[in-house]
Amino acid sequence: MSMTLAVPVTVSIARRVDPGRASEMVAWMRAGTALAEAFPGFLGAGWVQSGPGSPEWHMLYRFADAETLRRWEESPQRHWWLSSAQGIVEHTRVERRTGIEGWFDRPLEHSVDLVEPAPPASPPRWKQAVTIWLAFFPLSLTATLLTSRFLDAVPLAARVLLMTLCLTPLMTYLVLPRITRALHWWLHGQRAPWRDA
């Protein structure tokens, strides 16, 4: 029997629309978000226009895993919503992101800002690596001490198997999300929060 861990999936879609129809575009995207919110696994959505008067829009939405995303993308509600914009909206690019880089995505908000540029890229890989190490080191050290103390008679391979089976979900769902929230300012090159106080 195999154990599959759910990995959140972020979908980024670039769309083009006549700048004169920006208000229709916003209303259309709000309607799509409202429909998606009713689906299990929906984690958030947001959109930005590339610049004032730009025809380029960037929309993001995130689901808890590939299966909940598939249910939304194959739903009659989404098909109806997409067809309602035929002749108005052109879809130009779709990207999906999962795995480690997904942990470092910026939070998605239900907001519209016609001046702000498209969302920035993920933090530098070295910052991602440092963050993962900061989360993994104390967790790994604690697990190693506990298994060597209480499971000393168990063969090494079995101890490592047990540790990784326990640590992987802990890292994915508990430790790493918290440390990325705490270090969000550093990961994205922002001012430390205590300096604003």
Side-chain angles (χ1 to χ4, degrees), residues 53-67:
S54 171
E56 293 285 338
W57 289 78
H58 301 274
M59 187 171 188
L60 294 155
Y61 56 90
R62 188 172 176 93
F63 275 80
D65 53 41
E67 179 58 24

Side-chain angles (χ1 to χ4, degrees), residues 22 27 31 58 70 97:
H58 301 274
R70 183 190 65 75
R97 297 179 62 196

Side-chain angles (χ1 to χ4, degrees), residues 21-31 47 57 112 114:
R21 305 186 84 164
S23 58
E24 292 173 67
M25 181 67 167
V26 171
W28 180 73
M29 288 187 290
R30 282 185 176 148
W47 58 84
W57 289 78
V112 179
L114 301 183

Side-chain angles (χ1 to χ4, degrees), residues 86-101:
Q86 281 186 338
I88 300 172
V89 178
E90 175 190 350
H91 308 281
T92 59
R93 188 179 71 251
V94 177
E95 294 177 9
R96 293 170 190 257
R97 297 179 62 196
T98 58
I100 289 175
E101 288 194 1

